[in-house]
Amino acid sequence: MRLTVDCVSSNEYPEKFTIGDLLRYMDVEPVPWLIISVNELFFRRDVFDSTLLHDGDRVDLIYVRGGG
Amino acid sequence: MLNNKQKDHYYRNILLDDFGIEGQEKLLSSHVLVIGSGGLGTPSLIYLTSIGVGHITIIDDDKVSLSNLPRQILYSSEDINKPKGEVSKRKLESLNPDVKINFIQDRLTENNALEIIKGHDIVLEVTDNFETKFLVNDICKKLNIPFVIAGVSDYQGQITTCIPNKSKDFKSLFSTLPSSDKTLVEGVYPLSAGVIANIATSEVIKYLLGIDSLLLDKMMVVDLKKNDFKVINFPNL
């Protein structure tokens, strides 16, 4: 299926792919300050492995910044 | 009541639809607490003061250092080693004598937070650590005081606004609360700090004036390197 991840679009992704699968595929560590936006809706870390992605989804990795 | 000099001073504010004389008077009678007087806090304080927010409290326990100067735009080289709050008060009161600045030379902690936060109309949290952001989140909810939380590092940052009992809060974004690594020193693009601070300050002003379109249940995520501005919705829990 096709996903746009951090503005880069590709159809290389398998079906039945969760947010957790995507992060493992990208070799991204799900640190506590990482939240994922799918089609401009946030998903928290506790639902990464239960949230299925769908063809055409736009996924953004958001690292919440603690600095000031 | 605005006097003639104030009507002249705030003329271009007053001309705005949502301001008028009444809005300007509202700002001049407002009490805003700014937690942190650093890269985000200093641009915020300059605008809050210039625009005419009448009562501003600053809490920061830090002193000005040389490496602050590229982004902490209220300070200059002669301020090095001086307490940030003290320098801020002097410069801001000179910038706009209508504004009363109260500074607290301390760090916000679980022991003093309730006492410091109570009585303010809104709180702007712009410190450099997650622990204080979560503390402000909890105490403001307890006191039913609206708050804006912003953060920045590298070229990126984010802003969100919470009105207790009306919108979701910053903490609800996390299933496991992150903590700040005090040994990690990250770069900060000064212009990102400025842009994020100004959006956060605008949230404060809009709240005080009753302008809707606040970042409630939403977070604005800014990446100035990519010129990317996103508004993302909070999860339904």
Side-chain angles (χ1 to χ4, degrees):
Chain A
M1 67 177 171
R2 175 170 290 275
L3 297 176
T4 302
V5 181
D6 282 344
C7 299
V8 178
S9 191
S10 168
N11 58 6
E12 68 191 81
Y13 302 101
E15 298 296 322
K16 295 184 179 171
F17 210 47
T18 65
I19 293 174
D21 292 331
L22 175 65
L23 296 180
R24 285 184 283 277
Y25 180 82
M26 295 172 69
D27 202 18
V28 170
E29 186 189 349
V31 290
W33 55 95
L34 173 65
I35 47 183
I36 302 295
S37 155
V38 180
N39 304 327
E40 298 181 349
L41 179 66
F42 277 127
F43 289 85
R44 301 183 344 170
R45 200 163 78 140
D46 53 345
V47 297
F48 285 177
D49 281 324
S50 57
T51 304
L52 276 174
L53 296 168
H54 300 93
D55 187 49
D57 279 350
R58 177 188 160 173
V59 182
D60 290 291
L61 281 63
I62 311 286
Y63 289 93
V64 179
R65 305 290 164 158
Chain B
M1 284 282 288
L2 296 186
N3 59 37
N4 285 340
K5 188 179 171 199
Q6 287 174 318
K7 283 178 187 164
D8 195 22
H9 184 163
Y10 302 111
Y11 178 58
R12 299 288 284 266
N13 290 355
I14 291 167
L15 287 179
L16 290 166
D17 281 349
D18 295 289
F19 277 66
I21 287 178
E22 193 185 327
Q24 190 62 52
E25 286 173 347
K26 204 182 281 180
L27 291 184
L28 282 164
S29 65
S30 295
H31 293 72
V32 174
L33 172 63
V34 179
I35 304 174
S37 185
L40 295 174
T42 50
S44 293
L45 286 164
I46 291 171
Y47 269 106
L48 289 169
T49 303
S50 299
I51 206 167
V53 170
H55 307 269
I56 300 172
T57 303
I58 306 164
I59 175 166
D60 198 307
D61 68 340
D62 205 5
K63 290 181 177 172
V64 179
S65 65
L66 185 61
S67 68
N68 294 156
L69 301 187
R71 68 192 180 287
Q72 301 190 17
I73 55 174
L74 199 50
Y75 311 128
S76 49
S77 48
E78 64 263 28
D79 299 323
I80 288 168
N81 291 325
K82 291 179 184 164
K84 289 182 176 179
E86 182 188 305
V87 176
S88 299
K89 178 179 166 65
R90 178 170 44 83
K91 294 195 177 180
L92 294 169
E93 285 183 343
S94 151
L95 187 63
N96 187 351
D98 285 343
V99 178
K100 290 182 177 51
I101 306 287
N102 173 37
F103 88 86
I104 301 168
Q105 178 74 25
D106 206 347
R107 192 175 186 85
L108 198 79
T109 66
E110 284 181 14
N111 294 330
N112 63 16
L114 200 83
E115 197 58 35
I116 288 170
I117 290 175
K118 76 177 184 191
H120 290 91
D121 296 307
I122 186 166
V123 174
L124 175 57
E125 196 290 335
V126 281
T127 67
D128 61 358
N129 65 90
F130 281 114
E131 289 75 9
T132 306
K133 294 181 193 306
F134 295 134
L135 177 63
V136 169
N137 186 105
D138 292 347
I139 301 295
C140 284
K141 279 180 73 180
K142 194 170 184 176
L143 293 169
N144 203 22
I145 293 175
F147 56 100
V148 178
I149 290 185
V152 65
S153 66
D154 199 60
Y155 291 86
Q156 300 166 2
Q158 76 285 324
I159 313 101
T160 187
T161 300
C162 174
I163 299 179
N165 302 315
K166 185 174 175 187
S167 66
K168 298 185 187 79
D169 63 13
F170 180 66
K171 227 174 172 177
S172 67
L173 284 174
F174 305 97
S175 52
T176 306
L177 297 183
S179 57
S180 295
D181 180 354
K182 292 180 178 62
T183 61
L184 180 67
V185 180
E186 293 177 298
V188 180
Y189 183 49
L191 283 308
S192 292
V195 167
I196 290 156
N198 284 334
I199 295 167
T201 309
S202 178
E203 289 289 289
V204 171
I205 298 300
K206 288 193 296 181
Y207 170 77
L208 293 172
L209 292 174
I211 301 174
D212 50 20
S213 74
L214 294 170
L215 289 166
L216 301 179
D217 295 328
K218 297 173 196 299
M219 178 177 275
M220 182 179 282
V221 181
V222 176
D223 183 336
L224 221 54
K225 189 174 183 180
K226 296 178 182 167
N227 280 335
D228 188 27
F229 290 71
K230 285 191 272 280
V231 175
I232 301 178
N233 297 294
F234 274 39
N236 292 316
L237 298 171

